[in-house]
Amino acid sequence: MTIIGISLGSSRTAVCVLKDGLLLEDELHMHSFDAQWSEKKLRTIINTYKRYLHRNNVQAIMVKIPPLRKHSKAITQLLKRLDILAKEYDCKFDLITKSELKHVNHLRSTNEIIDFTKRLYPELTEIFEKGIDNDHRYYKKLYEAILGAHTYQEWQRIKALRIADTSK
């Protein structure tokens, strides 16, 4: 299964692709969108996500979203367009907040998200080293996107095991 993980933002977003449990390092990016919010900026962000879908035959999109109380008009519009994009590409679509991400993975802080994700994917060491100088502020979203995609993958694995058990 190929999953695109996104940590959503209207100015900065992180994207990763997990394919059959492997993190595709050439599909691991931070994207910055500095322009003021507009329909053009919305299309630019969605087109960025669309390129990942084109290249990777994605079956699922997992989006780490801000808490509901912090949903701006921009975030709401992005989520609506992502939902449409998922339907257009026949992808499953799911959302998770940082709080839920921490809860399901038994983590308490952003630093624990980073450490846990690094243990899952040791190839992130180079990104971790780059982030030390800025206290990981720039790359934090990348770890959230990766852990979101990983969590979705685990949910699907557990679901498949349950289905297999009930059919025995």
Side-chain angles (χ1 to χ4, degrees), residues 3-165:
I3 306 160
I4 184 174
I6 298 171
S7 182
L8 192 66
S10 59
S11 335
R12 192 168 57 223
T13 188
V15 182
C16 75
V17 176
L18 276 184
K19 183 175 180 132
D20 300 326
L22 298 174
L23 185 60
L24 301 183
E25 289 183 62
D26 56 337
E27 294 290 3
L28 190 62
H29 299 283
M30 289 292 306
H31 297 279
S32 294
F33 304 99
D34 296 329
Q36 189 171 4
W37 187 252
S38 65
E39 182 64 30
K40 181 181 179 189
K41 182 175 179 176
L42 174 61
R43 280 193 313 272
T44 300
I45 295 170
I46 292 299
N47 285 335
T48 298
Y49 300 147
K50 201 181 274 193
R51 285 193 294 276
Y52 288 91
L53 295 170
H54 278 300
R55 288 192 302 256
N56 295 287
N57 191 26
V58 173
Q59 285 89 36
I61 302 170
M62 176 59 130
V63 183
K64 196 289 293 178
I65 59 171
L68 291 175
R69 69 185 181 284
K70 291 190 175 184
H71 280 210
S72 62
K73 177 184 173 188
I75 294 296
T76 302
Q77 288 179 325
L78 277 167
L79 286 172
K80 284 179 183 174
R81 290 283 181 92
L82 270 169
D83 185 38
I84 291 166
L85 193 62
K87 288 175 182 151
E88 182 183 323
Y89 282 83
D90 196 28
C91 294
K92 294 177 183 168
F93 181 66
D94 209 345
L95 308 172
I96 193 166
T97 64
K98 186 174 184 175
S99 174
E100 292 167 327
L101 198 57
K102 288 190 287 190
H103 176 74
V104 299
N105 289 289
H106 311 289
L107 306 170
R108 296 180 306 242
S109 67
T110 299
N111 284 338
E112 286 187 12
I113 287 174
I114 292 169
D115 291 341
F116 182 67
T117 307
K118 261 182 34 192
R119 283 193 307 273
L120 290 169
Y121 302 99
E123 61 270 32
L124 294 173
T125 302
E126 186 178 327
I127 290 171
F128 180 80
E129 297 298 326
K130 283 183 191 176
I132 288 174
D133 291 341
N134 66 16
D135 196 28
H136 301 288
R137 285 184 299 276
Y138 183 75
Y139 293 107
K140 177 180 70 170
K141 283 183 161 296
L142 200 52
Y143 294 99
E144 294 168 351
I146 295 165
L147 189 55
H150 174 81
T151 300
Y152 184 85
Q153 173 187 268
E154 286 302 297
W155 288 346
Q156 296 308 302
R157 186 182 64 77
I158 291 166
K159 186 177 176 180
L161 288 173
R162 286 185 181 147
I163 290 170
D165 283 347

